[in-house]
Short mmCIF file of all heavy atoms in Angstrom, two decimals:
data_model
loop_
_atom_site.label_atom_id
_atom_site.label_comp_id
_atom_site.label_asym_id
_atom_site.label_seq_id
_atom_site.Cartn_x
_atom_site.Cartn_y
_atom_site.Cartn_z
N VAL K 1 36.07 -28.02 12.51
CA VAL K 1 37.25 -28.89 12.45
C VAL K 1 37.72 -28.99 11.02
O VAL K 1 36.96 -28.76 10.07
CB VAL K 1 36.95 -30.29 13.03
CG1 VAL K 1 36.46 -30.20 14.47
CG2 VAL K 1 35.93 -31.04 12.17
N ARG K 2 38.96 -29.34 10.84
CA ARG K 2 39.53 -29.45 9.50
C ARG K 2 38.95 -30.69 8.80
O ARG K 2 38.87 -31.77 9.36
CB ARG K 2 41.06 -29.56 9.59
CG ARG K 2 41.79 -29.46 8.25
CD ARG K 2 41.61 -28.12 7.59
NE ARG K 2 41.91 -26.99 8.44
CZ ARG K 2 43.15 -26.52 8.65
NH1 ARG K 2 44.18 -27.08 8.05
NH2 ARG K 2 43.35 -25.49 9.43
N ARG K 3 38.56 -30.53 7.57
CA ARG K 3 38.02 -31.63 6.78
C ARG K 3 39.14 -32.57 6.36
O ARG K 3 40.32 -32.25 6.48
CB ARG K 3 37.28 -31.10 5.55
CG ARG K 3 38.18 -30.37 4.55
CD ARG K 3 37.41 -29.95 3.33
NE ARG K 3 36.93 -31.09 2.57
CZ ARG K 3 36.21 -31.01 1.45
NH1 ARG K 3 35.87 -29.83 0.97
NH2 ARG K 3 35.82 -32.09 0.82
N GLY K 4 38.77 -33.75 5.81
CA GLY K 4 39.77 -34.67 5.30
C GLY K 4 39.88 -35.93 6.13
O GLY K 4 39.07 -36.19 7.04
N ASP K 5 40.88 -36.74 5.82
CA ASP K 5 41.09 -38.00 6.53
C ASP K 5 41.15 -37.78 8.03
O ASP K 5 41.79 -36.84 8.51
CB ASP K 5 42.38 -38.66 6.06
CG ASP K 5 42.33 -39.12 4.61
OD1 ASP K 5 41.21 -39.24 4.08
OD2 ASP K 5 43.40 -39.36 4.03
N GLY K 6 40.48 -38.66 8.78
CA GLY K 6 40.48 -38.55 10.23
C GLY K 6 39.48 -37.56 10.78
O GLY K 6 39.52 -37.26 11.99
N VAL K 7 38.56 -37.06 9.95
CA VAL K 7 37.64 -36.04 10.43
C VAL K 7 36.74 -36.56 11.55
O VAL K 7 36.37 -35.81 12.46
CB VAL K 7 36.80 -35.46 9.28
CG1 VAL K 7 35.80 -36.49 8.75
CG2 VAL K 7 36.08 -34.19 9.71
N ALA K 8 36.39 -37.85 11.53
CA ALA K 8 35.54 -38.39 12.59
C ALA K 8 36.22 -38.26 13.95
O ALA K 8 35.57 -37.90 14.95
CB ALA K 8 35.20 -39.85 12.30
N ASP K 9 37.51 -38.54 14.00
CA ASP K 9 38.24 -38.40 15.26
C ASP K 9 38.30 -36.94 15.70
O ASP K 9 38.19 -36.64 16.89
CB ASP K 9 39.65 -38.95 15.11
CG ASP K 9 39.67 -40.46 14.88
OD1 ASP K 9 38.71 -41.13 15.32
OD2 ASP K 9 40.63 -40.95 14.25
N ARG K 10 38.46 -36.04 14.74
CA ARG K 10 38.52 -34.61 15.10
C ARG K 10 37.17 -34.10 15.60
O ARG K 10 37.10 -33.28 16.51
CB ARG K 10 39.01 -33.79 13.90
CG ARG K 10 40.49 -34.01 13.59
CD ARG K 10 41.02 -33.02 12.58
NE ARG K 10 40.49 -33.23 11.23
CZ ARG K 10 40.96 -34.11 10.37
NH1 ARG K 10 41.97 -34.90 10.70
NH2 ARG K 10 40.44 -34.22 9.15
N ILE K 11 36.09 -34.60 15.00
CA ILE K 11 34.76 -34.22 15.48
C ILE K 11 34.56 -34.71 16.91
O ILE K 11 34.10 -33.95 17.78
CB ILE K 11 33.67 -34.80 14.55
CG1 ILE K 11 33.69 -34.10 13.19
CG2 ILE K 11 32.29 -34.68 15.19
CD1 ILE K 11 32.81 -34.76 12.15
N ARG K 12 34.91 -35.95 17.14
CA ARG K 12 34.72 -36.53 18.48
C ARG K 12 35.53 -35.77 19.53
O ARG K 12 35.05 -35.47 20.62
CB ARG K 12 35.09 -38.01 18.46
CG ARG K 12 34.60 -38.78 19.67
CD ARG K 12 34.83 -40.28 19.56
NE ARG K 12 34.17 -40.94 20.67
CZ ARG K 12 32.95 -41.44 20.64
NH1 ARG K 12 32.24 -41.36 19.52
NH2 ARG K 12 32.42 -42.01 21.71
N ALA K 13 36.77 -35.43 19.17
CA ALA K 13 37.62 -34.70 20.11
C ALA K 13 37.09 -33.29 20.37
O ALA K 13 37.12 -32.79 21.50
CB ALA K 13 39.04 -34.63 19.57
N ALA K 14 36.55 -32.65 19.33
CA ALA K 14 36.10 -31.26 19.46
C ALA K 14 34.91 -31.14 20.41
O ALA K 14 34.78 -30.13 21.13
CB ALA K 14 35.73 -30.70 18.09
N VAL K 15 34.05 -32.15 20.43
CA VAL K 15 32.85 -32.07 21.26
C VAL K 15 33.01 -32.81 22.58
O VAL K 15 32.07 -32.84 23.39
CB VAL K 15 31.61 -32.59 20.50
CG1 VAL K 15 31.39 -31.81 19.22
CG2 VAL K 15 31.73 -34.08 20.19
N GLY K 16 34.18 -33.43 22.80
CA GLY K 16 34.39 -34.15 24.04
C GLY K 16 33.63 -35.45 24.12
O GLY K 16 33.22 -35.89 25.19
N GLY K 17 33.43 -36.08 22.99
CA GLY K 17 32.67 -37.32 22.89
C GLY K 17 31.94 -37.36 21.57
O GLY K 17 32.12 -36.49 20.73
N GLY K 18 31.08 -38.34 21.37
CA GLY K 18 30.39 -38.47 20.09
C GLY K 18 29.27 -37.46 19.93
O GLY K 18 28.75 -36.89 20.89
N VAL K 19 28.89 -37.26 18.68
CA VAL K 19 27.76 -36.39 18.35
C VAL K 19 26.49 -37.23 18.25
O VAL K 19 26.54 -38.44 18.04
CB VAL K 19 28.00 -35.62 17.04
CG1 VAL K 19 29.17 -34.67 17.18
CG2 VAL K 19 28.22 -36.57 15.86
N ASP K 20 25.35 -36.57 18.41
CA ASP K 20 24.08 -37.28 18.37
C ASP K 20 23.64 -37.61 16.95
O ASP K 20 22.94 -38.60 16.71
CB ASP K 20 22.99 -36.43 19.04
CG ASP K 20 23.35 -36.10 20.48
OD1 ASP K 20 23.42 -37.02 21.29
OD2 ASP K 20 23.57 -34.90 20.77
N GLY K 21 24.03 -36.77 15.99
CA GLY K 21 23.64 -36.98 14.61
C GLY K 21 24.64 -36.37 13.66
O GLY K 21 25.46 -35.52 14.04
N ILE K 22 24.58 -36.83 12.42
CA ILE K 22 25.45 -36.31 11.36
C ILE K 22 24.61 -36.09 10.12
O ILE K 22 23.80 -36.94 9.73
CB ILE K 22 26.60 -37.28 11.03
CG1 ILE K 22 27.51 -37.49 12.23
CG2 ILE K 22 27.42 -36.77 9.84
CD1 ILE K 22 28.58 -38.57 12.01
N ALA K 23 24.81 -34.95 9.47
CA ALA K 23 24.30 -34.71 8.12
C ALA K 23 25.50 -34.78 7.20
O ALA K 23 26.36 -33.89 7.21
CB ALA K 23 23.61 -33.36 8.03
N ASP K 24 25.59 -35.84 6.41
CA ASP K 24 26.79 -36.13 5.62
C ASP K 24 26.65 -35.55 4.22
O ASP K 24 26.20 -36.21 3.30
CB ASP K 24 27.01 -37.64 5.57
CG ASP K 24 28.26 -38.02 4.77
OD1 ASP K 24 29.15 -37.15 4.63
OD2 ASP K 24 28.35 -39.18 4.32
N GLY K 25 27.08 -34.31 4.06
CA GLY K 25 26.99 -33.67 2.77
C GLY K 25 28.15 -33.95 1.85
O GLY K 25 28.09 -33.62 0.66
N SER K 26 29.22 -34.55 2.38
CA SER K 26 30.41 -34.79 1.56
C SER K 26 30.62 -36.27 1.25
O SER K 26 31.70 -36.66 0.80
CB SER K 26 31.67 -34.22 2.24
OG SER K 26 31.84 -34.77 3.53
N LEU K 27 29.60 -37.08 1.49
CA LEU K 27 29.60 -38.50 1.09
C LEU K 27 30.74 -39.28 1.71
O LEU K 27 31.39 -40.11 1.05
CB LEU K 27 29.66 -38.61 -0.44
CG LEU K 27 28.58 -37.83 -1.22
CD1 LEU K 27 28.81 -37.94 -2.71
CD2 LEU K 27 27.20 -38.33 -0.85
N GLN K 28 30.98 -39.06 3.00
CA GLN K 28 32.03 -39.82 3.69
C GLN K 28 31.51 -41.10 4.32
O GLN K 28 32.30 -41.94 4.76
CB GLN K 28 32.69 -38.93 4.75
CG GLN K 28 33.37 -37.71 4.13
CD GLN K 28 34.15 -36.91 5.15
OE1 GLN K 28 35.06 -37.42 5.80
NE2 GLN K 28 33.81 -35.64 5.28
N THR K 29 30.22 -41.25 4.41
CA THR K 29 29.50 -42.47 4.78
C THR K 29 30.11 -43.19 5.98
O THR K 29 30.20 -42.62 7.05
CB THR K 29 29.40 -43.41 3.55
OG1 THR K 29 30.70 -43.75 3.08
CG2 THR K 29 28.65 -42.72 2.41
N ASP K 30 30.54 -44.46 5.81
CA ASP K 30 30.95 -45.29 6.94
C ASP K 30 32.11 -44.69 7.73
O ASP K 30 32.24 -44.97 8.93
CB ASP K 30 31.39 -46.68 6.44
CG ASP K 30 30.30 -47.41 5.69
OD1 ASP K 30 29.18 -46.88 5.60
OD2 ASP K 30 30.57 -48.50 5.18
N ASP K 31 32.94 -43.88 7.11
CA ASP K 31 34.09 -43.31 7.81
C ASP K 31 33.67 -42.40 8.95
O ASP K 31 34.50 -42.09 9.83
CB ASP K 31 34.97 -42.51 6.84
CG ASP K 31 35.66 -43.40 5.81
OD1 ASP K 31 35.74 -44.63 6.04
OD2 ASP K 31 36.12 -42.86 4.78
N LEU K 32 32.41 -41.97 8.97
CA LEU K 32 31.96 -41.03 9.99
C LEU K 32 31.40 -41.71 11.23
O LEU K 32 31.18 -41.05 12.25
CB LEU K 32 30.88 -40.11 9.40
CG LEU K 32 31.34 -39.21 8.26
CD1 LEU K 32 30.14 -38.48 7.66
CD2 LEU K 32 32.38 -38.22 8.73
N VAL K 33 31.18 -43.01 11.18
CA VAL K 33 30.54 -43.71 12.30
C VAL K 33 31.28 -43.48 13.62
O VAL K 33 30.63 -43.29 14.66
CB VAL K 33 30.40 -45.21 11.97
CG1 VAL K 33 30.01 -46.00 13.21
CG2 VAL K 33 29.36 -45.40 10.87
N PRO K 34 32.62 -43.47 13.66
CA PRO K 34 33.28 -43.25 14.95
C PRO K 34 32.95 -41.91 15.61
O PRO K 34 33.18 -41.74 16.82
CB PRO K 34 34.78 -43.33 14.60
CG PRO K 34 34.83 -44.18 13.38
CD PRO K 34 33.60 -43.81 12.61
N ALA K 35 32.43 -40.95 14.86
CA ALA K 35 32.09 -39.66 15.44
C ALA K 35 30.78 -39.69 16.21
O ALA K 35 30.47 -38.74 16.94
CB ALA K 35 32.00 -38.60 14.34
N LEU K 36 29.98 -40.74 16.05
CA LEU K 36 28.64 -40.81 16.64
C LEU K 36 28.65 -41.49 18.01
O LEU K 36 29.44 -42.41 18.27
CB LEU K 36 27.71 -41.60 15.72
CG LEU K 36 27.23 -40.90 14.46
CD1 LEU K 36 26.69 -41.93 13.47
CD2 LEU K 36 26.15 -39.87 14.78
N VAL K 37 27.75 -41.06 18.87
CA VAL K 37 27.46 -41.80 20.09
C VAL K 37 26.75 -43.10 19.71
O VAL K 37 26.20 -43.23 18.61
CB VAL K 37 26.57 -40.98 21.04
CG1 VAL K 37 27.27 -39.70 21.48
CG2 VAL K 37 25.22 -40.67 20.42
N ASP K 38 26.75 -44.06 20.62
CA ASP K 38 25.96 -45.26 20.39
C ASP K 38 24.49 -44.86 20.23
O ASP K 38 23.97 -44.03 20.99
CB ASP K 38 26.10 -46.22 21.57
CG ASP K 38 27.48 -46.87 21.65
OD1 ASP K 38 28.27 -46.70 20.69
OD2 ASP K 38 27.77 -47.51 22.68
N GLY K 39 23.85 -45.43 19.22
CA GLY K 39 22.47 -45.06 18.95
C GLY K 39 22.32 -43.77 18.16
O GLY K 39 21.20 -43.27 18.02
#
């Protein structure tokens, strides 16, 4: 997916829901939470 603002939404859309985990190499921190499944 394209990097930059809104990447969490693009990740979620690409996989059809949230991801199980994130390795945050670009220091986006809290902005990535919407990309995750609960837990």
